């Protein structure tokens, strides 16, 4: 064996082990969650997801309010964010690809993506909460200021940079000849966007949206500060509610025994939900990119 | 193949170390504590001064009482701070006798956001019904009846409670369980409770305080320290003797002017002291009575005992400047007696 052979071998080994350690890590997280949640799984079983009572004093736990709260806030946030993120992607990827405005806007979205979530939470407390309270007072509902609406709003703002930057990336990669061909056939700019850019970039845009959805599901701090942390199924969009990530962050430090185990059970569910969203996302992207390539070419 | 194994075993080692957690004691001459967050600013100050005077480094991590007690049971720390006396079950889990010494007092105050921030007076019954969700308006006759000199607005009450499990909630609910049978039946005592629908939960004292400051008509409970530091309005509360007591570090200390049992396991809520604020409580440091465990040296045990002794005696002068409430003399004496009962191999550590 020569010296190069050896170093080649060593390199391959390192790469292989690094790759392997990711899988080990994933399994380690999953099994730790599973083992620690066994007492709770044994006590509450599958009814954990159907029961809507979370009662730490009687040690009766059901996670439906949290599951519901996580999904509803993330979905509302997604719907609020989609028009904005697509517009920003098109604006940056097609209209202003270079120049001062583009650079400024692009770095602004990047900075937004990097702001710690506790700062979003604080900002929400000082700005969004009074706005929500004003809306609630004008509608005649109880002016809590916090709740699903406020939390979804802050989540939407937090996830826009994610979907927008991926969208922009994909849109700017569209081959120029495709667009030029469309223009030469007499297409207007809107028609080019509608018939060429969006179909071509669809998988990328959706990938960005799903990534953003994943982030919204797991978001903790900003949501905790703005959702009102009420362990009940919300009655309206303005009701205080709670999410899976938020209840774990709140209660875990002082919990013991079955309470801690139930919180970890919620963590396990959160883990599985995020994994499911990711797998579904990859599947959708694969399917759509196949279709899109057929459509455009 | 051999190389491959070597690399793999290296990774396995890293994983094992990573997962097993840090079970190693810090260097000799450094004491480690963990637990309650409420007294953390005080302990930081005290331990800083203690280091300057005695060259013993003390590291205290505010991870919450529950986490602290777990650490003590796992024998990874020298002492633990807690806001509640250990429960029967926790004492059993500890395996060996655990001693408690009070270090200072804390109090929970009812704070609110009303136009002009008037000083309110509240009775135990009214507090219970506000926090059960039965009194819904600020101008309710029950509140107005005891605050005749204050013009109360026609404003909905928004109740804010702690979303995280906390010693603050424990003391507050323990007090209400003592003074209201309706509360005892419906809510009970605990670090986290099954609150009625429509209450807002916020994380930590800062979360509750922040929400109240932002929301007209909001009412909640926070540590006295927090209310003082944030200049929030808080209520005087009628105590067992029938006096309306405004919470101050002094009136909170007064709450401990009752008979202190030998193990200092006494609940000061609804105190019988006539000028004591009724929602007060000790915060404790806890440690094993027999100090020779997990391979600890005698020197280590000695420096722990000396440090604890300092905290309940000379260290007490640092309590009040930080707006905590110092131990009254009786409590300090009881604590000293407990520290003197610490042993190493069955022999007393301090003489």
């Amino acid at each position: 064996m020569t010296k190069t052979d050896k170093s080649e071998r060593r390199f391959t080994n390192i790469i292989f082990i690094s790759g392997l350690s990711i899988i080990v890590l994933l399994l380690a997280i999953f099994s730790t969650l599973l083992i620690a949640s066994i007492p709770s799984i044994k006590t509450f079983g599958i009814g954990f997801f159907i029961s809507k009572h979370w009662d730490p004093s009687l040690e009766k736990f059901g996670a439906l309010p949290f599951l519901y709260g996580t999904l509803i806030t993330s979905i509302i946030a997604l719907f609020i964010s989609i028009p904005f993120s697509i517009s920003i992607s098109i604006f940056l990827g097609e209209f202003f690809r270079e120049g001062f405005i583009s650079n400024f806007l692009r770095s602004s979205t990047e900075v937004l993506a990097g702001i710690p979530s506790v700062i979003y939470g604080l900002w929400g407390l000082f700005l969004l909460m009074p706005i929500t309270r004003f809306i609630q007072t004008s509608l005649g509902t109880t002016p809590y200021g916090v709740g699903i609406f406020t939390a979804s709003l802050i989540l939407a703002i937090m996830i826009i940079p994610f979907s927008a930057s991926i969208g922009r990336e994909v849109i700017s990669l569209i081959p120029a000849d495709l667009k030029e061909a469309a223009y030469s056939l007499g297409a207007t700019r809107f028609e080019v966007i509608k018939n060429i850019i969006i179909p071509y970039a669809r998988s990328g845009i959706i990938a960005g949206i799903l990534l953003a959805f994943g982030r919204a599901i797991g978001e903790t701090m900003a949501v905790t500060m703005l959702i009102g942390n009420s362990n009940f199924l919300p009655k309206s969009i303005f009701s205080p509610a709670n999410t899976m990530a938020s209840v774990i962050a709140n209660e875990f430090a002082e919990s013991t025994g079955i309470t801690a185990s139930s919180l970890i059970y919620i963590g396990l569910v959160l883990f599985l939900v995020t994994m499911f969203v990711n797998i579904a996302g990859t599947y959708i992207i694969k399917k759509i990119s196949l279709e899109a390539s057929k459509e455009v070419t | 193949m051999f190389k491959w194994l070597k690399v793999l075993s290296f990774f396995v080692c890293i994983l094992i170390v990573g997962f097993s957690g840090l079970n190693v004691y810090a260097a000799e001459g450094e004491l480690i504590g963990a637990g309650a967050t409420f007294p953390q600013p005080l302990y930081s100050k005290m331990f800083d001064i203690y280091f300057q005077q005695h060259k013993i480094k003390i590291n205290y991590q505010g991870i919450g009482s529950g986490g602290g007690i777990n650490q003590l049971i796992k024998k990874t720390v020298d002492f633990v701070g807690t806001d509640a006396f250990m429960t029967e079950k926790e004492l059993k889990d500890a395996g060996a006798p655990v001693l408690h010494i009070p270090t200072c007092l804390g109090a929970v105050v009812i704070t609110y956001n009303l136009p002009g921030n008037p000083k309110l007076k509240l009775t135990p019954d009214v507090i219970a019904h506000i926090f059960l969700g039965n009194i819904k308006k600020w101008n309710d006759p029950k509140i107005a009846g005891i605050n005749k000199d204050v013009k109360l607005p026609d404003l909905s009450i928004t109740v804010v409670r702690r979303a995280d499990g906390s010693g603050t909630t424990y003391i507050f609910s323990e007090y209400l369980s003592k003074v209201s049978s309706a509360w005892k039946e419906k809510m009970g005592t605990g670090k986290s409770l099954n609150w009625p629908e429509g209450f807002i939960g916020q994380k930590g004292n800062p979360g509750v305080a922040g929400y109240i400051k932002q929301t007209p008509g909001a009412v909640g409970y926070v540590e006295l320290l927090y209310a003082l530091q944030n200049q929030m309005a808080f209520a005087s509360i009628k105590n067992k003797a029938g006096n309306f007591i405004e919470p101050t570090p002094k009136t909170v200390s007064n709450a401990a002017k009752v008979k202190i049992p030998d193990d200092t396991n006494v609940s000061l809520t609804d105190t019988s002291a006539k000028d004591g604020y009724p929602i007060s409580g000790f915060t404790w440091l806890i440690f094993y009575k027999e100090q020779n465990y997990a391979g600890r040296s005698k020197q280590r045990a000695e420096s722990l005992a000396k440090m604890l002794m300092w905290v309940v005696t000379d260290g007490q002068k640092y309590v009040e400047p930080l707006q905590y409430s110092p131990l009254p003399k009786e409590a300090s004496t009881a604590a000293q007696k407990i520290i003197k009962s610490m042993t190493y191999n069955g022999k007393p550590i301090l003489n």
Side-chain angles (χ1 to χ4, degrees):
Chain A
M1 215 190 274
T2 66
K3 209 170 173 190
T4 11
D5 271 353
K6 257 190 179 169
S7 69
E8 192 73 10
R9 191 70 173 276
R10 204 175 296 144
F11 177 70
T12 319
N13 285 341
I14 290 172
I15 300 277
F16 178 71
I17 288 167
S18 312
L20 198 72
S21 63
I22 292 292
I23 301 171
V24 171
L25 204 61
L26 191 70
L27 288 176
I29 293 175
F30 179 74
S31 47
T32 311
L33 288 176
L34 189 67
I35 291 165
S37 59
I38 282 174
S40 175
I41 295 175
K42 269 190 186 151
T43 321
F44 304 112
I46 217 75
F48 194 64
F49 308 107
I50 305 161
S51 163
K52 53 183 204 264
H53 297 290
W54 181 268
D55 188 340
S57 44
L58 294 176
E59 303 201 321
K60 289 242 177 310
F61 299 113
L64 187 65
F66 311 120
L67 194 64
Y68 184 78
T70 297
L71 293 178
I72 200 83
T73 47
S74 305
I75 290 169
I76 295 175
L78 205 61
F79 278 110
I80 300 174
S81 77
I82 284 174
F84 291 100
S85 61
I86 291 184
S87 316
I88 295 172
S89 336
I90 294 173
F91 185 81
L92 288 177
E94 176 62 22
F95 282 72
F96 288 91
R97 303 178 68 155
E98 271 146 37
F100 175 73
I101 300 177
S102 164
N103 281 339
F104 184 69
L105 233 145
R106 201 166 59 212
S107 35
S108 305
T109 33
E110 272 155 22
V111 169
L112 273 181
I115 293 177
S117 81
V118 63
I119 296 188
Y120 277 105
L122 279 176
W123 180 71
L125 273 183
F126 288 118
L127 193 80
L128 292 185
M129 213 174 98
I131 293 175
T132 314
R133 196 178 317 117
F134 175 74
I135 298 173
Q136 286 173 323
T137 330
S138 357
L139 289 176
T141 53
T142 326
Y144 291 124
V146 294
I148 292 181
F149 179 74
T150 323
S152 306
L153 220 55
I154 201 80
L155 274 178
I157 297 169
M158 290 175 76
I159 63 179
I160 284 172
F162 284 82
S163 36
S165 63
I166 294 179
R168 180 195 67 83
E169 203 73 40
V170 184
I171 287 174
S172 62
L173 285 175
I174 295 172
D177 11 351
L178 269 182
K179 288 185 278 181
E180 277 157 17
Y183 282 125
S184 71
L185 289 171
T188 60
R189 193 150 204 183
F190 177 70
E191 282 167 337
V192 171
I193 290 172
K194 194 177 122 224
N195 297 321
I196 305 291
I197 293 179
I198 301 274
Y200 196 91
R202 193 158 55 188
S203 74
I205 292 171
I206 290 179
I209 288 170
L210 281 167
L211 185 83
F213 188 57
R215 159 130 199 197
I217 286 176
E219 185 44 56
T220 312
M221 200 56 217
V223 174
T224 304
M225 292 166 88
L226 295 173
I227 197 158
N229 301 303
S230 167
N231 305 341
F232 290 91
L233 276 181
K235 292 205 173 77
S236 83
I237 192 168
F238 290 117
S239 303
N242 212 345
T243 68
M244 295 195 274
S246 168
V247 72
I248 297 172
N250 273 325
E251 307 235 355
F252 195 72
E254 289 287 345
S255 64
T256 46
I258 191 82
T259 314
S261 177
S262 300
L263 288 169
I264 297 168
Y265 194 5
I266 294 182
L268 182 70
V269 178
L270 187 59
F271 182 81
L272 293 176
V273 169
T274 334
M275 208 159 79
F276 176 75
V277 168
N278 269 316
I279 292 172
T282 331
Y283 177 75
I284 292 172
I285 291 162
K286 238 186 221 159
K287 218 175 154 190
I288 289 174
S289 53
L290 267 177
E291 276 168 19
S293 59
K294 273 184 216 150
E295 230 170 87
V296 177
T297 48
Chain B
M1 190 62 203
F2 178 68
K3 274 247 167 78
W4 203 92
L5 274 176
K6 217 159 85 179
V7 180
L8 188 70
S9 57
F10 173 68
F11 269 85
V12 170
C13 281
I14 289 182
L15 285 177
I16 289 171
V17 171
F19 287 127
S20 61
L22 293 166
N23 266 325
V24 200
Y25 266 117
E28 202 61 38
E30 183 180 330
L31 297 170
I32 314 171
T37 45
F38 156 67
Q40 194 181 8
L42 173 65
Y43 291 162
S44 304
K45 175 83 185 165
M46 280 182 159
F47 296 155
D48 191 39
I49 289 163
Y50 194 77
F51 175 66
Q52 287 167 19
Q53 294 177 356
H54 300 85
K55 299 287 164 244
I56 301 275
K57 211 169 175 185
I58 303 154
N59 180 355
Y60 182 84
Q61 292 160 5
I63 58 169
S65 305
I69 289 169
N70 276 336
Q71 299 264 334
L72 186 75
I73 293 171
K74 282 186 191 150
K75 302 188 167 57
T76 54
V77 289
D78 295 293
F79 64 94
V80 160
T82 174
D83 294 337
F85 210 85
M86 277 170 88
T87 60
E88 296 275 318
K89 193 186 164 294
E90 285 164 346
L91 284 168
K92 219 176 83 200
D93 287 345
V98 172
L99 299 175
H100 292 60
I101 54 159
T103 56
C104 68
L105 289 102
V108 176
V109 302
I110 312 293
T111 173
Y112 42 83
N113 181 344
L114 286 176
N117 278 338
K119 285 233 170 267
L120 291 186
K121 285 185 205 152
L122 295 174
T123 59
D125 187 53
V126 168
I127 298 171
H129 284 295
I130 290 175
F131 284 89
L132 281 167
N134 298 336
I135 298 180
K136 293 185 175 356
K137 287 269 183 185
W138 278 107
N139 58 357
D140 190 286
K142 276 187 176 158
I143 306 178
I146 33 179
N147 292 285
K148 295 215 167 76
D149 45 343
V150 179
K151 198 178 151 11
L152 289 158
D154 177 23
L155 198 61
S156 297
I157 297 178
T158 309
V159 179
V160 198
R161 46 96 181 172
R162 287 286 288 271
D164 48 334
S166 83
T168 312
T169 305
Y170 187 88
I171 291 189
F172 184 61
S173 59
E174 188 195 64
Y175 169 68
L176 288 176
S177 292
K178 281 186 188 172
V179 296
S180 157
S181 53
W183 178 279
K184 192 173 179 186
E185 206 172 292
K186 233 181 136 194
M187 307 286 288
T189 305
K191 283 178 181 171
S192 36
L193 303 169
N194 188 24
W195 294 96
E197 200 164 353
F199 283 15
I200 298 296
Q202 288 291 348
K203 191 172 163 60
N205 282 308
V208 173
Y211 185 87
I212 292 173
K213 279 192 148 180
Q214 289 267 317
T215 313
V219 64
Y221 57 93
V222 295
E223 291 282 358
L224 168 63
L225 192 68
Y226 237 89
L228 287 174
Q229 282 167 355
N230 290 293
Q231 282 131 32
M232 301 172 78
F234 44 77
S236 299
I237 295 176
K238 192 176 184 176
N239 70 5
K240 208 171 187 175
N243 303 322
F244 281 100
I245 305 289
E246 191 186 335
T248 61
K250 186 98 192 81
T251 56
V252 174
S253 280
N254 288 343
K257 287 186 177 158
V258 290
K259 194 173 163 2
I260 309 277
D262 286 345
D263 62 354
T264 73
N265 185 4
V266 58
S267 156
L268 299 178
T269 49
D270 196 27
T271 176
S272 52
K274 69 177 194 307
D275 49 1
Y277 178 72
I279 322 181
S280 308
F282 281 132
T283 183
W284 285 274
L285 284 180
I286 59 174
F287 42 87
Y288 279 104
K289 180 181 165 83
E290 170 55 52
Q291 284 289 306
N292 187 9
Y293 63 87
R296 300 169 88 250
S297 70
K298 187 161 186 214
Q299 192 201 342
R300 191 180 187 89
E302 257 170 25
S303 62
L304 175 66
K306 279 184 190 152
M307 181 277 283
L308 294 170
M309 194 55 108
W310 181 84
V311 167
V312 297
T313 53
D314 290 349
Q316 285 295 310
K317 63 171 173 277
Y318 304 102
V319 174
E320 212 164 348
L322 289 176
Q323 291 171 326
Y324 290 83
S325 309
L327 297 176
K329 205 157 161 279
E330 304 86 336
S332 170
T333 316
Q336 290 173 41
K337 217 170 124 195
I338 293 169
I339 296 166
K340 281 178 187 152
S341 74
M342 288 168 78
T343 57
Y344 191 87
N345 281 339
K347 292 196 192 81
I349 299 172
L350 297 178
N351 299 313

